[in-house]
Amino acid sequence: MDKIIEFTSKTVVLSVNDIDTDQIIPARFLTVTTKDGLGDGLFSDWRFDESGNKIEDFPLNQAKSEGCSVLVAGSNFGCGSSREHAPWALVDYGFKAILSTSFADIFQNNALKNGLLPLTVSQEFHSMLTDSEGIQVKVSLEEMNIQSSNGMTEPFDLEPFSRYCLMNGIDQLGFIMNHENQIQAYEDKG
Amino acid sequence: MAESGKTLFEKVWEDHLVVEETPNTPAILYIDLHLIHEVTTPQAFQSLRDKGLSLRDPNKVLATMDHSTPTLPVKSIADLDIVAEKGPADQIRDMIRNCEEFGVELHGFDSDKRGIVHVMGPELGATQPGKTIVCGDSHTSTHGAFGALAFGIGTTEVGHVLASQCLLQRKPKTFAVNMDGSLRSGVSAKDIILKIIQKVGVDGGVGHVIEYRGSTAGVLSLEERMTICNMSIEAGARAGMFAPDDKTFNYLIDKPMSPKGPDWDQAMKRWSRLVTDEDVAFDKEVNIDIDQLSPMVTYGTNPGMAMEIDGVVPETNGDLGFKQSLNYMQIEAGKPLIGKDIDVVFIGSCTNSRISDLKDAAEILKDRKVSDGVKALVVPGSQAIKKEAESLGLDKIFESAGAEWREPGCSMCLGMNGDTVGNGKLAVSTSNRNFEGRQGKGARTILASPKTAAASAISGSVEDPRKYS
Ligand code: SF4
């Protein structure tokens, strides 16, 4: 896994609450046995019409959002199914962070294991982001804040262990496996 | 000062701590039972292969095929290409290969135990009080009906559990849902959980484990408890639980994987302490009056957008997407839902495909006909349920009413296996999610109980089940 310290990007805004994982990646794209290419199915039913043409006014389809790696979305982002295909699709499409006022538990867990930052911001900062579509932000894991190009600085919380793993490019399974003795002892206890 | 009491959840949590959490590191939690299916495991098996790892304990893994599996009869793998598209067929083959390579017993097409993962676990007695149970599927919360701590995980975590039988977790908060009173005629467990989600909201349970309590809890059957726990995730909760009681023990006593003989007596002792101590404060609490409950239906595109079936669609719920949601559903604010024409009725899914659900539907469909122009699909949750339903003649009731009777699987709940509602079509469904396109591209979903679904099938429009009961 690549280390993540900080990055800068313009933002693209989807100001809808409760965006569920069926919207992020519909079930028909889940018949895969690898993680590759899932970005093609990202928000598929919002991005494309019946005949597969791009829906022009969908935010991700507009020229100004090209190359954006920060998505601003409504509250309870990622609710619904446990499909890790959702963060895989977001990452494959090019996103590195989702900024929202709240996230669903399983999505948040899954995102953090794939180098995608689900960052909870204040209502005030969120309103600023939705009002200033396309604004540039710098996300720093080192400083634990987001700096917007209009001079605002928004701190965020991140589960310390996930932060450590992200900043050092560490796979969390290694941490569990290092506790082999404790696991064995637990099993022996019956 | 006396040691403070503990909740059911806290007791199960503490029993499974391999390593306690610290400010810097999550807890390492031991997992007793890992349920797997074909859709959320391929990449996990591949990651094990890439790292040269094997399974820590294949005996703690229970494998089935349900999500992308056809509900038309498949006698052997060779038939698969006839009834399934290439994607799902390849995925099923991949599952068979992975289970063989890693030494996991798979309940495939030839198994009389195969079923939807959350139907099969309890039916086999693999689901037991006090166990930690995970699966790459959010409705794993179902198993909490037995007093297990059960929740959905992602595919990376599936890999962690396969390799180590452990999971990294932060301790969730506790949430009591107190239910008081008894269900009136025509009202079901599904209506209880839809009411709860309407009340607490689709994110009301985020970060919490719900315990369902109160005078209603002890009266509900295990099947009803499963329906309620199943949809805990739709309120955003990590898991849902009921304290085990005599009903739980009676359900489990003769199941194939339940403890036997002296082991059973031991187990009963362990299980009996799995109740929340008196005077424990939960982090959050909500009360629901069950006496007054009516059948519930959803009108929007998340399960919290629910209403009493004889009410009118609200004008707003204060949500950003409310209007967009009603537009998608082609449902008007301020109008009743009863009488709205429907195209499809789906009776199935891990929420409502058990024998009691099928009996509820059959009671209403008996000697009646599904309305012209309505496609009705009944999909049992497992081979065992299918067999039991057929021995009771329920299949004949469904078929003579004009409904289709299928092989077990997730089917139209998520529309991965080719069973879909159809673009723009409106369905009354006993499943758990009414998200845009959940039941296939462009599908519009009204969630309801099996009774409401059956009544709607006959009327050809959204119908109050009390009309036929
Ligand atoms: S029936 Fe539906 S909700 Fe249940 S496991 Fe299958 S897809 Fe998931």
Side-chain angles (χ1 to χ4, degrees):
Chain A
M1 271 227 287
D2 296 338
K3 296 181 187 180
I4 305 171
I5 310 291
E6 66 170 45
F7 54 86
T8 302
S9 167
K10 282 191 302 176
T11 52
V12 53
V13 179
L14 274 184
S15 57
V16 181
N17 288 343
D18 306 313
I19 296 180
D20 60 77
T21 52
D22 277 271
Q23 307 320 312
I24 299 172
I25 181 99
R28 60 183 185 279
F29 294 99
L30 309 190
T31 61
V32 291
T33 52
T34 68
K35 304 175 187 177
D36 307 332
L38 282 165
D40 295 345
L42 182 72
F43 295 119
S44 180
D45 293 346
W46 288 354
R47 266 164 72 205
F48 303 104
D49 66 15
E50 302 289 294
S51 4
N53 299 316
K54 279 192 178 175
I55 298 171
E56 292 301 330
D57 53 354
F58 184 67
L60 264 59
N61 287 340
Q62 292 165 8
K64 60 180 189 220
S65 23
E66 212 160 292
C68 278
S69 60
V70 176
L71 177 67
V72 177
S75 66
N76 196 28
F77 185 84
C79 62
S81 108
S82 65
R83 61 187 71 161
E84 200 161 321
H85 308 71
W88 292 337
L90 286 157
V91 168
D92 190 52
Y93 189 86
F95 286 113
K96 293 181 179 161
I98 316 291
L99 311 190
S100 171
T101 50
S102 64
F103 291 90
D105 288 331
I106 309 181
F107 176 83
Q108 184 154 350
N109 261 329
N110 284 341
L112 288 168
K113 292 189 171 59
N114 288 281
L116 178 68
L117 305 180
L119 302 178
T120 303
V121 298
S122 65
Q123 192 62 57
E124 186 194 4
F125 191 71
H126 192 267
S127 305
M128 183 282 290
L129 291 171
T130 47
D131 293 345
S132 353
E133 195 167 352
I135 193 169
Q136 179 145 317
V137 292
K138 185 171 109 183
V139 175
S140 169
L141 273 191
E142 184 83 57
E143 294 173 28
M144 297 277 277
N145 67 23
I146 305 163
Q147 295 163 41
S148 53
S149 56
N150 60 357
M152 283 174 82
T153 300
E154 173 78 358
F156 59 76
D157 277 334
L158 199 60
E159 198 277 305
F161 180 71
S162 297
R163 174 177 180 240
Y164 174 81
C165 290
L166 288 164
M167 290 184 71
N168 294 283
I170 289 175
D171 178 348
Q172 300 190 3
L173 178 57
F175 176 80
I176 306 179
M177 300 297 252
N178 283 339
H179 290 79
E180 167 59 29
N181 290 345
Q182 286 94 326
I183 302 173
Q184 192 60 53
Y186 181 91
E187 286 179 338
D188 293 345
K189 192 176 69 172
Chain B
M1 213 173 85
E3 202 187 331
S4 64
K6 293 191 172 107
T7 63
L8 159 63
F9 155 71
E10 285 162 332
K11 290 180 183 180
V12 182
W13 172 269
E14 285 172 13
D15 282 350
H16 290 84
L17 283 175
V18 172
V19 178
E20 291 206 30
E21 70 181 313
T22 71
N24 288 329
T25 49
I28 300 182
L29 197 67
Y30 196 82
I31 302 302
D32 297 318
L33 176 65
H34 188 190
L35 307 162
I36 62 171
H37 63 81
E38 75 277 26
V39 175
T40 55
T41 53
Q43 298 85 352
F45 280 114
Q46 188 54 43
S47 76
L48 260 60
R49 209 174 273 126
D50 292 345
K51 292 176 181 144
L53 295 169
S54 56
L55 262 54
R56 185 171 183 91
D57 192 349
N59 293 322
K60 293 192 169 116
V61 184
L62 188 62
T64 187
M65 340 194 286
D66 52 2
H67 279 66
S68 57
T69 302
T71 53
L72 292 167
V74 176
K75 290 254 153 21
S76 74
I77 286 305
D79 287 356
L80 197 55
D81 297 313
I82 305 168
V83 294
E85 286 181 35
K86 189 174 179 316
D90 285 350
Q91 202 167 43
I92 290 164
R93 284 199 191 87
D94 193 68
M95 181 72 177
I96 296 169
R97 204 165 40 235
N98 286 334
C99 287
E100 271 171 15
E101 182 183 335
F102 287 90
V104 179
E105 186 193 359
L106 169 66
H107 293 287
F109 292 118
D110 51 357
S111 167
D112 58 4
K113 299 191 175 78
R114 190 183 70 79
I116 303 175
V117 62
H118 311 308
V119 173
M120 191 176 141
E123 214 167 60
L124 293 177
T127 301
Q128 293 167 13
K131 275 194 176 182
T132 44
I133 303 178
V134 296
C135 173
D137 188 283
S138 57
H139 293 97
T140 308
S141 56
T142 312
H143 307 264
F146 291 79
L149 173 60
F151 50 89
I153 56 176
T155 298
T156 302
E157 292 173 317
V158 169
H160 292 180
V161 180
L162 288 174
S164 70
Q165 211 56 46
C166 288
L167 195 66
L168 295 170
Q169 282 288 298
R170 288 283 178 189
K171 188 177 174 186
K173 297 200 180 95
T174 56
F175 185 170
V177 172
N178 304 310
M179 310 175 293
D180 274 307
S182 43
L183 287 171
R184 295 187 290 185
S185 155
V187 190
S188 321
K190 181 65 161 284
D191 303 312
I192 298 182
I193 188 62
L194 285 173
K195 183 73 200 175
I196 292 171
I197 301 164
Q198 180 210 44
K199 189 156 177 173
V200 308
V202 287
D203 55 358
V206 169
H208 292 73
V209 170
I210 296 177
E211 183 180 331
Y212 299 97
R213 299 159 60 79
S215 66
T216 316
V219 181
L220 296 171
S221 70
L222 266 293
E223 303 215 335
E224 291 173 311
R225 294 178 196 182
M226 283 192 258
T227 298
I228 292 173
C229 280
N230 174 275
M231 288 186 73
S232 304
I233 180 72
E234 299 335 316
R238 201 78 187 92
M241 299 173 93
F242 277 81
D245 58 11
D246 286 344
K247 286 205 156 111
T248 318
F249 309 145
N250 288 337
Y251 179 101
L252 286 172
I253 195 158
D254 53 355
K255 296 290 184 280
M257 292 171 78
S258 291
K260 302 280 169 339
D263 289 347
W264 172 263
D265 301 332
Q266 280 294 324
M268 286 279 286
K269 265 197 209 127
R270 277 199 321 272
W271 297 345
S272 301
R273 60 171 271 276
L274 297 174
V275 287
T276 292
D277 296 330
E278 274 171 44
D279 301 330
V280 172
F282 285 80
D283 295 311
K284 195 169 176 177
E285 211 152 338
V286 98
N287 299 324
I288 307 278
D289 179 5
I290 303 299
D291 281 330
Q292 298 306 316
L293 191 66
S294 296
M296 301 288 294
V297 281
T298 60
Y299 56 85
T301 53
N302 72 51
M305 300 175 82
M307 60 182 251
E308 276 69 23
I309 194 163
D310 47 6
V312 294
V313 178
E315 300 285 346
T316 172
N317 68 352
D319 246 34
L320 279 175
F322 185 83
K323 279 221 172 74
Q324 190 185 330
S325 180
L326 289 200
N327 277 346
Y328 179 86
M329 289 299 293
Q330 298 167 39
I331 282 177
E332 267 181 81
K335 296 268 170 66
L337 266 189
I338 288 185
K340 187 169 177 70
D341 286 347
I342 58 166
D343 307 294
V344 175
V345 166
F346 172 61
I347 297 171
S349 89
C350 58
T351 315
N352 283 125
S353 63
R354 297 182 184 83
I355 195 72
S356 55
D357 301 312
L358 302 184
K359 282 183 192 165
D360 275 357
E363 212 169 282
I364 290 179
L365 285 166
K366 191 168 191 307
D367 302 326
R368 297 198 173 99
K369 291 276 176 226
V370 171
S371 171
D372 283 345
V374 171
K375 174 191 164 87
L377 195 67
V378 186
V379 184
S382 68
Q383 290 294 358
I385 292 169
K386 180 168 185 260
K387 206 166 136 201
E388 187 178 352
E390 287 174 355
S391 76
L392 296 169
L394 303 187
D395 57 324
K396 294 286 169 309
I397 295 179
F398 296 132
E399 282 173 347
S400 46
E404 283 180 65
W405 174 244
R406 293 284 186 92
E407 292 295 310
C410 296
S411 181
M412 221 182 253
C413 173
L414 90 166
M416 262 193 90
N417 71 334
D419 300 344
T420 55
V421 163
N423 204 349
K425 296 262 163 62
L426 183 62
V428 174
S429 175
T430 68
S431 53
N432 41 52
R433 287 190 173 136
N434 51 348
F435 299 151
E436 282 182 32
R438 165 75 179 184
Q439 297 192 283
K441 195 172 169 151
R444 299 180 293 137
T445 302
I446 293 175
L447 300 176
S449 71
K451 290 179 188 177
T452 304
S456 304
I458 297 162
S459 292
S461 55
V462 178
E463 185 63 271
D464 192 325
R466 292 172 293 195
K467 181 173 168 185
Y468 296 110
S469 40

